[in-house]
Amino acid sequence: MLSLDPMGPKWDCPLGSKVLEDKEGPWGGGSSLPPPDYFPGSWRLDVGLDCKGSPEGPEARAWTTYYYSLLQSCLQQAGLPETQDRSQVPRTGCPGAEVTLCVLGSPSTFLSVLLEGGVQSPGNMLLCLSPAWLTKVPAPGQPGEAALLVSKAVSFHPGGLTFLDDFVPQRRATYFLAGLGPRPGLGQEAAELARDLTCPTGASAELARLLEDRLLTRQLLAQQGGVAVPATLAFTYKPPTLLQGGNASPGLRLVELSGKEGQETLVKEEVGAFLCSAVLGDTLQVAIKLSSWRWRGQQALRLHPRAEVGAVVDTVLALLEKLEEEESVLVEAVCPPARLPFPGNAPAGPELAVRICAVVCRTQGDRPLLSKLHLVESDPNHFASQLVQTFIHFDVTEHQRDEENAQLLAELVRARGLQLDGCFSYWDDCLVLTALLCQELGLPCSPPAAMRLAKQKSRTQLHLLHCQGPPWPAPSIHAVPCCPLESEADVERAVHQVPLPAVMKLEFGAGAVGVRLVEDAPQCHQHFSKIAHDLQGEADHPGIGLGWGNSMLLMEFIDGTEHDVDLVLFSGRLLAAFVSDNGPTRLPGFTETAACMPTGLAPEQEAQLVQAAFRCCLGCGLLDGVFNVELKLTRTGPRLIEINPRMGGFYLRDWILELYGVDLLLAAAMVACGLRPALPTHPRASGHLVGVTGLVSQHLQVLSSTASQEALRALHDQGLLRFNQFASLEEVREPGEYEEPYCSVACAGPSLAEARLRLLGLCQGLGIDGPHYPVAHFLSHFK
């Protein structure tokens, strides 16, 4: 949160009593009643602010009304609608199942966080205007810890919509942030609510005591972070333990006082030396103020020219009389204010003070709550080994030993004392191993049997063919007849069971490597023999699944348009689905040529694909995760090509993030940790993307000249195209017969037609389009 405040007379505050009016209300320990000058504007006040079962006294009710009016004023100034009162019809739900982000504090302080939370997690970002709206109860099975329940709150939704809601049953907070201060009053009540909770908290009385002392903060920053702080002279009286021990840096001098009286000589010497020292640089003014955790930033402040030594000394001596234990008087440099630039000869803008507030998440023990990344990788020199919290070098390539390796990995995790919340992989070969490891460690995941079923293509189809329901329509209507192939005898039997022409491909393959349309029995035998000879193990073509073997399958060729459906599933529920269209392939091969997103299909056809993909996943037992399902849409409905039990590859994650603002990798990580991602139920794309793949066999010359990596990256940075590179040119310079795409080049547009035309023109200009790679033909489905 960033704000700019004009500097003016209010910055030179009188040095009076400590009982300063605190604009943040009773949590700061100020006046017992809110300020009488309510906010300009018009809104209804006959709303249900009372919380049933927890009545408020007159003063507390006045503050609740005050904060409700402050919220309405903030919303009105931002051009957002007034809060709607629907507390007469309580919200119901599944207690503990939903994400509940609860904020207790001033609406003006947290408004930006609340509005963004309403966008990212609609209905789950809650603002409580009174501690009476919250209840703290013992957490079952967790002695000494408590759960925080929300009875009433203002809920935030996309578009700045807000609702005053009651919750029956109460919602259990999964994150709690309170704007508290350690002074007596309701600040203590809010601090007590935040103490010893099972959920993460964003503040506590102890944390406020640490951070609200400006001098202590500066010393810690200078000592431990090497951060430059304003030149400061501090007179401290019985300082806290953390402040004891002398100066932190040349620009920060601490003078510990033995008493508050009789310090005139010491003050004159220290102030005189400080005002003449080089640490002030060209500073013209100094500020004198009190500092301690009790003040919460609402400080008496006096500005003096640097040359007025006597006036500075008198002000310091006056403040020394008011010092209490663990308080300080600061004499600090006034940094030059920020000025907004104005074009031309316009008069300079007002002097501005910049305030920056960062909101972080901490555990109940006041430790930062971070997502720690642990990586298991076969390559000891993998680039990511230096980027993660823990790197475990472990050979995961022998997949016939996945059960044994899962047990060994679990032992390594326990031996290192790693406390894991989840485990997931986006690499095809490691999906079964991941499920087995989750089973060993008791972590959320789809069952290993389901992963094995989805991993082997013929098992997927044959299993679904026997899923006759209920529920209906059964996934069997989407499955395609096929035969697994282990030997030439299997091939001979398969050509009499599967209608020809058919598709032959690797059981555990990826990237369409080795996939081929076979017209008759001789072609079936020929292709089977060739794959058995050329692709025997991982070393023959790394990364396409040969670590699982080179067995094949023959499946019926399905005529229709090809589509990808990327699904997010949580506890067997469909949270989101993203459908993309693929262009015609270069038969007899099936390497991808083109794609567009969102789909150009009619809404009812899109819904058919989503439901078919969802039912096929459930039919295989895939209940939790992010999955990529490839289908064809035929005249009789969707038919399944295969299920990839991980998020979509190539460009799909980037496209979905660009068009829908949804990160599939983050969603996969959250589901793996047992957290339900907050995703739009009916996502709407912000535009259209149409792309083509680049192949080294077809584009080596242009990829080394007009469409070089540097040229494509430059166009990407200028926003003229989207460039996704899948491998280095050196790795695929000699692709051979079994080729994978080198890159994807895409163009965006407000409509599918415009994006398609932009891409076609770009490909013609770069030389990607040509007689042997007719881009117009590949884009012909996208109309």
Side-chain angles (χ1 to χ4, degrees), residues 617-645:
C617 286
L618 293 186
C620 290
L622 299 173
L623 305 178
D624 294 276
V626 177
F627 307 116
N628 172 259
V629 183
E630 300 176 26
L631 302 117
K632 276 196 171 181
L633 185 61
T634 72
R635 294 178 179 179
T636 58
R639 303 295 297 277
L640 176 67
I641 300 175
E642 62 188 44
I643 298 175
N644 299 305

Side-chain angles (χ1 to χ4, degrees), residues 527-546:
H527 189 59
F528 179 84
S529 299
K530 184 172 180 55
I531 294 295
H533 176 269
D534 294 348
L535 302 177
Q536 298 183 14
E538 185 72 13
D540 294 324
H541 202 306
I544 64 165
L546 292 174

Side-chain angles (χ1 to χ4, degrees), residues 31-81:
S31 172
S32 59
L33 288 173
D37 52 337
Y38 271 40
F39 311 98
S42 175
W43 46 81
R44 297 186 59 171
L45 289 176
D46 56 338
V47 293
L49 296 179
D50 290 325
C51 186
K52 297 176 181 177
S54 183
E56 293 182 298
E59 292 181 358
R61 175 57 192 268
W63 277 109
T64 303
T65 304
Y66 171 86
Y67 282 120
Y68 183 80
S69 295
L70 175 57
L71 172 62
Q72 302 315 307
S73 178
C74 292
L75 293 173
Q76 195 173 90
Q77 292 178 42
L80 299 175

Side-chain angles (χ1 to χ4, degrees), residues 480-481 501 503 555-560 632-634 637 639-641:
V480 177
V503 178
M555 65 182 295
E556 180 181 340
F557 174 71
I558 304 299
D559 192 19
K632 276 196 171 181
L633 185 61
T634 72
R639 303 295 297 277
L640 176 67
I641 300 175

Side-chain angles (χ1 to χ4, degrees), residues 426-499:
Y426 48 83
W427 189 250
D428 288 89
D429 288 3
C430 294
L431 298 174
V432 174
L433 175 61
T434 300
L436 290 166
L437 179 59
C438 289
Q439 183 176 266
E440 286 284 332
L441 297 175
L443 299 175
C445 188
S446 291
M451 285 295 187
R452 284 195 181 96
L453 193 60
K455 175 63 182 167
Q456 188 169 355
K457 296 176 174 57
S458 66
R459 286 189 62 195
T460 304
Q461 299 284 5
L462 295 175
H463 172 81
L464 292 176
L465 279 170
H466 291 88
C467 291
Q468 301 297 328
W472 290 284
S476 59
I477 65 173
H478 308 300
V480 177
C482 66
C483 286
L485 307 176
E486 296 280 353
S487 64
E488 290 285 355
D490 292 335
V491 177
E492 185 62 32
R493 183 171 58 253
V495 296
H496 297 289
Q497 297 179 5
V498 177

Side-chain angles (χ1 to χ4, degrees), residues 563-633:
H563 308 269
D564 278 44
V565 182
D566 286 272
L567 306 169
V568 182
L569 271 60
F570 185 79
S571 297
R573 297 180 180 179
L574 177 62
L575 300 188
F578 308 92
V579 181
S580 56
D581 303 339
N582 293 333
T585 62
R586 300 168 65 232
L587 296 175
F590 287 87
T591 302
E592 183 176 314
T593 59
C596 75
M597 181 181 281
T599 177
L601 296 173
E604 60 270 18
Q605 293 175 312
E606 180 183 13
Q608 288 179 21
L609 287 171
V610 170
Q611 286 303 310
F614 180 41
R615 286 194 292 268
C616 288
C617 286
L618 293 186
C620 290
L622 299 173
L623 305 178
D624 294 276
V626 177
F627 307 116
N628 172 259
V629 183
E630 300 176 26
L631 302 117
K632 276 196 171 181
L633 185 61

